[in-house]
């Protein structure tokens, strides 16, 4: 299929949405801007809706996911084009600066190319379809909220509003020719260790040190090879102990002369293998519970250890022969690029879409050095992403 599209309008649109603040959980303004742009292109207002995901997300969230139905002009299976519209908190106040083939920041904030490049791809795709009256099957657009804080929009999306798409194409990444067909699953855990305070000089034996329980547990984890990058019997994963304190942003223990009575620790596990993922977390649980039994005071009293974990997102790995991947490979070839399939060690909205039963692959569209003040957008990749959007939307 041959088509051209207005690249300067595509860049203008991207500049416009980059200038609208919309950090994770605060997507109301960017949602409105996207709706306004869609209305200006001629998308009927009855086709544009926000779902009620924000009512189910366990963190304050200004608005639901934005879902748009574009009726097909030719018959065919419905496709879903998706992206997330939130940015990381470091993007607050971002001022995008257009250079020759790049968009950069003033160095004080991140830029928000993650993931306004994805929003730009979806908008330019719609604009091109409508302006050039390109024939296309029924299409659903999904702009999710709260991706950055835990993939919540995709997790709690109102599936009935998506109208049963057969395939989904997600835009969130660097290169237009890289097709992400799998991603790790993640669990988060937290442990509360409650010991007993005592004067560390006068009656140290009356105390039960929560910090020492934590230390013994972590020593066990480290010594047995379950910390950081983990390889066991051909299975791989990662783990981390991220936060140690009093659970309220303060330190665990406040004085050198008091046996520490309370420690709160948070960590995570990741793996492509959901069983191994659970094994990693279970190993942490056992280590903390066992360490709790090793330390007691003069009366034989021991610390109380409470360990909780939750699955953040499931891993997935699509076959390179899956029909959705075939569509992706063919689309990348049509824009004259050499496609490659890859997996990622980070979670994606695609993790939840696949868990919802919708085969989903993810493309990039020019993000670079995301989540840093050096973030920049490669406009060549962004425009390739836009081309890809149109090809995916029109291929049968
Ligand atoms: Zn992203």
């Amino acid at each position: 299929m041959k088509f051209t599209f207005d690249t300067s309008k595509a860049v203008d649109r991207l500049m416009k949405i980059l200038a609208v603040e919309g950090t994770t959980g605060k997507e109301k303004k960017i949602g409105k801007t996207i709706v306004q742009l869609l209305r200006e292109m001629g998308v009927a207002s009855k086709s544009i809706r926000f779902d009620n995901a924000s009512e189910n997300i366990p963190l304050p969230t200004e608005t639901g996911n934005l879902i748009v139905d574009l009726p097909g002009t030719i018959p065919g299976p419905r496709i879903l084009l998706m992206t997330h519209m939130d940015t990381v908190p470091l993007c607050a106040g971002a001022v995008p600066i257009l250079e020759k083939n790049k968009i950069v920041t003033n160095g004080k904030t991140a830029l928000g190319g993650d993931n306004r490049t994805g929003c730009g791809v979806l908008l330019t795709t719609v604009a091109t379809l409508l302006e050039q009256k390109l024939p296309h099957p029924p299409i659903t657009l999904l702009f999710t909220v709260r991706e950055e804080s835990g993939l919540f929009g995709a997790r709690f999306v109102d599936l009935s509003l998506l109208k049963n798409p057969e395939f989904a194409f997600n835009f969130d990444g660097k290169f237009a020719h890289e097709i992400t067909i799998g991603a790790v699953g993640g669990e988060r855990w937290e442990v509360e260790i409650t010991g007993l305070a005592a004067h560390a000089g006068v009656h140290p034996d009356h105390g039960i040190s929560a910090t020492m329980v934590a230390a013994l547990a972590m020593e066990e984890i480290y010594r047995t090879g379950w910390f950081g990058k983990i390889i066991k019997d051909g299975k791989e994963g990662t783990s981390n102990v991220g936060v140690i304190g009093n659970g309220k942003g303060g330190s665990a223990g406040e004085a050198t002369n008091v046996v520490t009575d309370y420690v709160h620790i948070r960590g995570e596990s990741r793996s492509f293998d959901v069983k191994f993922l659970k094994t990693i977390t279970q190993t942490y649980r056992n280590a903390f519970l066992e360490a709790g039994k090793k330390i007691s005071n003069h009366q034989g009293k021991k610390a109380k250890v409470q360990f909780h974990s939750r699955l953040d997102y499931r891993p997935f790995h699509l076959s390179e022969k899956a029909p959705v991947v075939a569509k992706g490979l063919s689309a990348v070839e049509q824009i004259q690029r050499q496609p490659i399939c890859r997996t990622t060690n980070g979670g994606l909205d695609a993790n939840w879409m696949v868990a919802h039963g919708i085969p989903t692959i993810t493309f990039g569209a020019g993000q670079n050095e995301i989540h840093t003040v050096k973030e920049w957008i490669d406009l060549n990749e962004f425009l390739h992403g836009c081309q890809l959007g149109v090809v995916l939307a029109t291929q049968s």
Side-chain angles (χ1 to χ4, degrees), residues 98-341:
L98 183 58
E99 290 184 350
K100 200 160 170 276
N101 293 315
K102 282 179 173 187
I103 301 173
V104 298
T105 71
N106 58 12
K108 291 188 183 131
T109 67
L111 179 58
D114 174 12
N115 196 11
R116 297 297 158 71
T117 50
C119 300
V121 165
L122 265 56
L123 288 168
T124 291
T125 299
V126 174
T128 308
L129 293 182
L130 298 182
E131 275 166 21
Q132 303 186 21
K133 299 194 167 52
L134 299 175
H136 63 84
I139 298 173
T140 303
L141 307 176
L142 168 63
F143 299 84
T144 62
V145 295
R146 270 208 185 276
E147 190 268 357
E148 297 289 359
S149 44
L151 314 180
F152 286 111
R155 180 174 187 167
F156 291 103
V157 65
D158 183 341
L159 291 170
S160 69
L161 296 182
L162 301 183
K163 298 193 167 180
N164 292 315
E166 203 160 314
F167 309 109
F169 305 110
N170 182 34
F171 285 87
D172 188 6
K174 190 170 181 178
F175 294 114
H177 68 277
E178 280 191 354
I179 307 174
T180 303
I181 60 169
V184 286
E187 279 193 330
R188 284 174 207 229
W189 54 261
E190 60 183 308
V191 62
E192 286 185 88
I193 306 166
T194 310
L196 190 63
H199 194 290
V202 182
H203 288 300
D205 53 323
H206 291 197
I208 305 168
S209 171
T211 42
M212 205 45 66
V213 172
L216 289 180
M218 290 194 281
E219 189 276 339
E220 169 77 15
I221 288 287
Y222 184 76
R223 187 171 42 79
T224 54
W226 290 92
F227 178 75
K229 195 168 169 59
I230 306 162
I231 303 172
K232 299 265 179 198
D233 304 327
K235 295 190 170 160
E236 293 187 27
T238 62
S239 75
N240 190 39
V241 178
V243 183
I244 304 182
N246 66 356
K248 294 179 188 135
S251 74
E254 279 163 5
T256 59
N257 62 353
V258 181
V259 175
T260 317
D261 63 345
Y262 183 78
V263 179
H264 184 270
I265 305 176
R266 289 192 286 134
E268 62 151 48
S269 321
R270 296 181 190 220
S271 177
F272 282 99
D273 179 327
V274 77
K275 259 174 129 178
F276 192 59
L277 176 64
K278 290 184 184 299
T279 305
I280 298 169
T281 308
Q282 190 63 35
T283 304
Y284 271 85
R285 175 195 296 272
N286 293 343
F288 281 108
L289 293 177
E290 286 305 311
K293 293 177 191 164
K294 286 180 190 155
I295 292 190
S296 46
N297 71 358
H298 71 304
Q299 294 173 319
K301 276 196 181 156
K302 296 181 193 312
K304 190 167 114 193
V305 177
Q306 289 167 294
F307 188 98
H308 302 281
S309 64
R310 70 175 163 88
L311 183 68
D312 250 2
Y313 41 88
R314 295 186 152 273
F316 75 99
H317 200 156
L318 301 170
S319 157
E320 293 200 18
K321 295 194 183 94
V324 67
V325 180
K327 298 230 173 230
L329 292 168
S330 146
V332 172
E333 280 164 7
Q334 285 179 60
I335 66 161
Q336 321 290 332
R337 297 277 296 263
Q338 191 65 43
I340 50 167
C341 291

